[in-house]
Amino acid sequence: YGFDFETIKKELENRMIWISGNISEHFQLQLFSASEFLLLPSINLHSVTIMQAMAAGTIPIVTDTIGTSNYIEDRKDGLVLQGVKNHVWKYNSEYK
């Protein structure tokens, strides 16, 4: 399709920080302040991380896991990727 994967790979290496694990709160806040987006694909709610990112002006991109709607309205406060809640979580209809 005409993609130059080497150029894309170099660009991602220069502009994307991928963290899988725990980092200090101080370092996390520094990253949020320097970032435009937070990509947080998870089946669990990370409410504090979402709020810290938003407070720093970083746009959160998260999944629609249970509780996300308490913090983010899709396309208003950030982006919500759909499908996790219905695919992963088994819940009582009272908690939809």
Side-chain angles (χ1 to χ4, degrees):
Y1 294 100
F3 292 113
D4 180 356
F5 288 106
E6 287 304 313
T7 301
I8 293 170
K9 184 179 176 187
K10 287 177 186 174
E11 187 65 25
L12 289 176
E13 289 172 356
N14 293 331
R15 300 187 61 187
M16 183 179 287
I17 300 170
W18 182 273
I19 298 173
S20 179
N22 294 320
I23 59 174
S24 72
E25 183 177 351
H26 177 73
F27 184 61
Q28 184 173 326
L29 294 175
Q30 285 182 320
L31 286 173
F32 291 153
S33 295
S35 301
E36 295 178 39
F37 299 99
L38 166 69
L39 179 59
L40 185 59
S42 179
I43 62 170
N44 297 310
L45 177 64
H46 295 269
S47 56
V48 172
T49 303
I50 291 169
M51 291 186 295
Q52 287 175 329
M54 292 172 71
T58 304
I59 299 168
I61 303 172
V62 298
T63 53
D64 67 341
T65 193
I66 294 175
T68 296
S69 60
N70 292 323
Y71 302 94
I72 298 175
E73 183 179 334
D74 189 32
R75 298 180 188 264
K76 180 179 177 191
D77 308 305
L79 296 175
V80 180
L81 307 174
Q82 302 297 317
V84 169
K85 186 171 21 175
N86 289 335
H87 183 72
V88 175
W89 289 99
K90 308 289 185 226
Y91 51 83
N92 185 316
S93 61
E94 179 181 338
Y95 297 107
K96 280 187 177 181

